[in-house]
Amino acid sequence: MEKELFMKMEVLSMLPLTVMSLLFGVFVFLSFFVLFGIKGRGSKALRITTVSLTFFSLILLFTLFLYIKPYRQVQKYMGPGVRDYAPGSLTYHYYSNGEKRGYRNGYFLDDMEKNPFYSKEEIILPVEYLGKKDNGEYWFCYGDMNFFSDQVEFSGDDAELLSYEFHLIDPGYKDLGFIEKTGPYFRKITVPEAQKNHIASEEIKGKYLRRSFSHIIFP
């Protein structure tokens, strides 16, 4: 969605939509009141005018809903994990630092893969598989750092740590409170099937996977 169209739809979804909804509610109430509440006292012209205004406001409200439908379909992807503020009925609501930190450090890989504002970049770190210890820990080496994990997938041709990072497709959306990138989110560690039976030395020391890669978001 083009930035300009997005801005227009967002503005219409705020005060104009609120006003149109309230007007429609008022006209519905007046129609019932004129038709049933003051029976015998309401003139024909008054009844026709009130009912006409009700239908007219309904048509306008329905047209507005149709116009902003594309915006409302993507609205659920604009939470504090990727945006600094959200539209309200009258003005914008700014998320607190705690809200933003909680969502941006949380593991929302599935949601980000569906987010139409961001594209996914695959980040692969080549690691060396050192083997499995008796306690079930799988040990690896990355550069001069040793680490272990208890979740490993034996597949592929190389030992790799896979994660995903997401980048804002249209940089112009940064002006609307969207962050430029999020992640990386841990996906998996793969080890070739041929290395499945390697045994790690009990002398190997290191840190747990999460503590070794603190910049990666884990589930």
Side-chain angles (χ1 to χ4, degrees):
M1 187 187 303
E2 294 293 331
K3 174 187 171 184
E4 291 72 19
L5 179 60
F6 175 91
M7 292 173 61
K8 186 176 181 180
M9 289 185 177
E10 183 163 84
V11 170
L12 288 173
S13 72
M14 297 171 66
L15 183 59
L17 180 60
T18 301
V19 171
M20 285 303 305
S21 300
L22 289 174
L23 284 176
F24 175 67
V26 170
F27 286 137
V28 168
F29 172 78
L30 289 176
S31 294
F32 275 97
F33 185 72
V34 169
L35 293 174
F36 306 107
I38 54 174
K39 207 167 189 179
R41 290 184 291 171
S43 68
K44 182 178 181 180
L46 179 61
R47 293 197 296 270
I48 292 175
T49 300
T50 307
V51 172
S52 298
L53 287 173
T54 302
F55 276 106
F56 181 68
S57 63
L58 174 61
I59 292 172
L60 287 179
L61 185 60
F62 182 70
T63 302
L64 181 57
F65 265 111
L66 283 181
Y67 182 77
I68 65 174
K69 183 179 179 181
Y71 170 83
R72 295 179 68 85
Q73 288 176 332
V74 299
Q75 198 170 14
K76 60 183 177 181
Y77 299 110
M78 301 185 291
V82 296
R83 199 179 185 189
D84 293 331
Y85 52 82
S89 298
L90 301 177
T91 185
Y92 286 98
H93 160 71
Y94 283 80
Y95 298 116
S96 67
N97 290 331
E99 286 179 295
K100 291 186 289 187
R101 186 166 51 249
Y103 278 92
R104 294 173 191 182
N105 293 332
Y107 190 81
F108 299 103
L109 177 59
D110 291 342
D111 291 337
M112 287 305 305
E113 288 184 317
K114 300 173 186 175
N115 195 311
F117 297 98
Y118 290 83
S119 60
K120 181 171 68 174
E121 178 188 359
E122 190 177 78
I123 299 176
I124 297 177
L125 299 180
V127 297
E128 179 186 355
Y129 180 53
L130 302 177
K132 181 180 179 181
K133 289 188 177 182
D134 292 339
N135 61 3
E137 296 172 349
Y138 297 94
W139 279 83
F140 299 85
C141 177
Y142 177 70
D144 58 355
M145 174 179 66
N146 293 336
F147 67 92
F148 68 90
S149 174
D150 55 3
Q151 295 182 342
V152 174
E153 179 180 304
F154 290 94
S155 63
D157 300 319
D158 301 293
E160 299 172 335
L161 189 156
L162 173 65
S163 63
Y164 294 131
E165 191 170 73
F166 294 85
H167 298 264
L168 195 59
I169 296 174
D170 184 348
Y173 274 81
K174 288 192 294 182
D175 299 334
L176 303 179
F178 286 83
I179 61 175
E180 188 172 3
K181 66 178 181 179
T182 181
Y185 296 91
F186 173 81
R187 178 62 183 87
K188 62 182 177 180
I189 297 179
T190 60
V191 175
E193 184 75 26
Q195 300 180 24
K196 187 174 183 178
N197 295 323
H198 284 197
I199 304 299
S201 168
E202 292 297 325
E203 304 303 317
I204 295 177
K205 303 293 182 183
K207 296 181 179 180
Y208 183 43
L209 173 64
R210 289 174 183 264
R211 292 195 292 271
S212 298
F213 295 88
S214 57
H215 66 290
I216 297 178
I217 301 173
F218 292 89

